[in-house]
Amino acid sequence: MVSPPPISCVMSSSQRWFTDDPRDSLLDELVLLRRRRSALDAREQQVIASLAELVPDGVDPSAYRGKEWVREEIACALSLSPRTAAARLHDAVALTTRFPATLAAMVDGTIGICHARALIEATRPVCDEVAAAVEGGGLAGAEGQEGARIPQP
C-alpha cells in the first residue's frame, strides 16, 4: 500500500501556516525558485528574439542572412550546438510573435519553458488563429501542470 503524500504536498503555502514542518519553508523556496527560473527563461527568449531582429553595424541588410548568423552567435554564446541554437531561436521568435500571452505567463512565473515549448510544438502545423485558440485554452489550465499536458489542436 502506498502512503499518502505529506500534507505540505497537497496544501498551498497559505494553508500550511499552522504546520511546524521545517520542509515547508524549503518547499516555498522551491516554488519561488521555479517562478524565478520561468521569468529568467522568458527574458532569455526575449533577448534571443531581439538578436534575430538586429543586423550588425556595417553589414548590408540585403546581404545579411540573419538567422543563420544569429544561430551561430547564439550557439557560441551559450555553448550549444548550431542545431540546438536554431531550435531556441525558432522558439524565441514564436513566443515573442505568435504567443505573447504565453510569454507573459512565463514572465509572471505561472508557467515554465516546458509549457511554452509544448505549445509551440503542438501548434507548429496550424494557422495563427488556431494557435491562438490553443494558447488560450492551454493557458487556462496550465499552471501547476506538466508541460506535456498542453491540449493538442
Side-chain angles (χ1 to χ4, degrees):
M1 181 154 106
V2 177
S3 59
I7 195 166
S8 59
C9 291
V10 294
M11 301 177 76
S12 70
S13 59
S14 62
Q15 294 171 317
R16 291 194 310 252
W17 63 270
F18 60 86
T19 68
D20 290 329
D21 191 339
R23 295 176 297 173
D24 287 346
S25 63
L26 293 174
L27 290 169
D28 290 341
E29 183 178 3
L30 193 60
V31 170
L32 179 63
L33 290 170
R34 175 67 56 108
R35 288 181 177 274
R36 287 181 179 169
R37 179 181 299 130
S38 179
L40 285 171
D41 285 340
R43 181 61 188 143
E44 182 177 284
Q45 300 307 302
Q46 292 168 327
V47 169
I48 290 172
S50 294
L51 283 168
E53 295 175 2
L54 297 176
V55 175
D57 290 338
V59 175
D60 178 12
S62 64
Y64 184 67
R65 296 176 58 195
K67 290 192 178 180
E68 185 175 314
W69 285 106
V70 171
R71 177 195 71 202
E72 298 299 326
E73 291 171 337
I74 292 168
C76 184
L78 299 179
S79 300
L80 302 171
S81 72
R83 186 176 184 160
T84 301
R88 297 269 178 96
L89 180 59
H90 172 269
D91 292 352
V93 171
L95 282 170
T96 57
T97 58
R98 199 174 190 200
F99 303 112
T102 298
L103 186 62
M106 288 178 63
V107 169
D108 292 342
T110 55
I111 65 166
I113 190 70
C114 291
H115 293 97
R117 288 188 177 137
L119 175 68
I120 292 166
E121 187 60 34
T123 58
R124 189 178 307 265
V126 299
C127 67
D128 289 346
E129 292 79 22
V130 172
V134 172
E135 178 185 38
L139 288 176
E143 184 177 5
Q145 297 292 320
E146 296 176 27
R149 293 192 173 209
I150 296 291
Q152 301 292 314

